[in-house]
Amino acid sequence: MLKKIILSISLMLCLNIAQDFEMPGLGLYAGGIMGTASGDAVDNLEDLGYSLSGPMLGVSYATMVGDFPLFMGAGLGARSFAYKGGHDGHDHGDDHNHDEEDISVCFQYFDMWATIPYPINDSMNLYGGMLFGIPLSGKETHGDEDPEDLDDEQLPNGMDMGLVFGLGYALPVMDGALALNLGYALGLAELESDAGGSNNTWSHSGFFMSLNYDIPGM
């Protein structure tokens, strides 16, 4: 896995050599993610699938590091998954019938990321890089009921890490200051929690979409 990461980053660095970039500087972004999970800790959940979650809110900064462009940022992020039926192995201590209802789980994170863009044309670019996240809180939603806060012991331990790949498109409004980003985040970290005393691990992945606004003059 480490060799694949190094190879991917090296390839993007090579593609960007001798490119002429105009970096926008400081910006703001907002979006959401359609996430899922995989691993021993969730494999026993019935109909494990995707769940829409958010928000993704933060600050971005685009600059040149030597001859290479770098797009980075930090802010709120999210990880999520959904399932129907089956029991997750935890003692929820409530009156829900966990064998019959749709259940979604969302974790709020503080994310830090950095990507390297490669331009396709004046309006579009491909990018790839790394994502790091620290869990802040979590919620679980049963059917149409209000979300319930997860206990601290149900939150993932340690830092999440993953790869991000995507496509950026500068919208033909506001002199190109507003851009749409579509991408995929692939979790590499094996996460675990203290709930239930289980050593089973899981990882998050998902498709994300965000709007990025480049602040004029910044």
Side-chain angles (χ1 to χ4, degrees):
M1 181 64 70
L2 180 59
K3 290 182 179 179
K4 292 181 180 180
I5 296 174
I6 295 175
L7 180 60
S8 299
I9 295 176
S10 298
L11 178 60
M12 295 201 71
L13 286 173
C14 292
L15 288 173
N16 279 281
I17 293 177
Q19 296 287 339
D20 184 18
F21 289 91
E22 182 178 351
M23 306 303 284
L26 189 66
L28 303 172
Y29 67 88
I33 186 168
M34 182 68 75
T36 190
S38 61
D40 294 338
V42 294
D43 282 346
N44 65 325
L45 300 180
E46 184 179 345
D47 294 335
L48 177 65
Y50 287 85
S51 176
L52 180 64
S53 63
M56 293 168 50
L57 297 171
V59 178
S60 63
Y61 188 70
T63 187
M64 296 294 294
V65 179
D67 294 329
F68 304 110
L70 184 65
F71 191 41
M72 52 190 172
L76 288 177
R79 315 285 192 275
S80 61
F81 62 91
Y83 63 97
K84 180 177 182 179
H87 189 62
D88 60 5
H90 298 156
D91 181 10
H92 292 270
D94 54 37
D95 297 326
H96 293 292
N97 186 342
H98 295 278
D99 292 330
E100 297 181 355
E101 59 192 348
D102 295 324
I103 301 173
S104 62
V105 179
C106 175
F107 299 107
Q108 198 77 60
Y109 270 70
F110 174 73
D111 281 339
M112 298 163 286
W113 50 269
T115 61
I116 299 172
Y118 177 74
I120 299 175
N121 53 42
D122 291 340
S123 300
M124 301 178 67
N125 68 84
L126 297 172
Y127 59 85
M130 297 293 297
L131 168 70
F132 301 91
I134 301 172
L136 300 175
S137 63
K139 293 183 180 294
E140 188 172 78
T141 305
H142 299 262
D144 296 329
E145 299 181 11
D146 293 334
E148 301 175 351
D149 292 333
L150 294 177
D151 297 332
D152 289 343
E153 66 176 11
Q154 294 176 279
L155 300 182
N157 293 328
M159 178 177 288
D160 192 13
M161 178 183 70
L163 296 175
V164 290
F165 301 96
L167 173 69
Y169 174 64
L171 299 175
V173 295
M174 304 173 68
D175 294 327
L178 190 64
L180 175 66
N181 289 299
L182 302 172
Y184 182 75
L186 174 64
L188 302 178
E190 295 184 348
L191 305 171
E192 59 183 357
S193 72
D194 296 328
S198 174
N199 292 324
N200 291 338
T201 61
W202 78 95
S203 60
H204 290 285
S205 60
F207 298 92
F208 63 86
M209 180 179 71
S210 67
L211 288 173
N212 193 95
Y213 174 67
D214 297 325
I215 302 175
M218 300 294 289

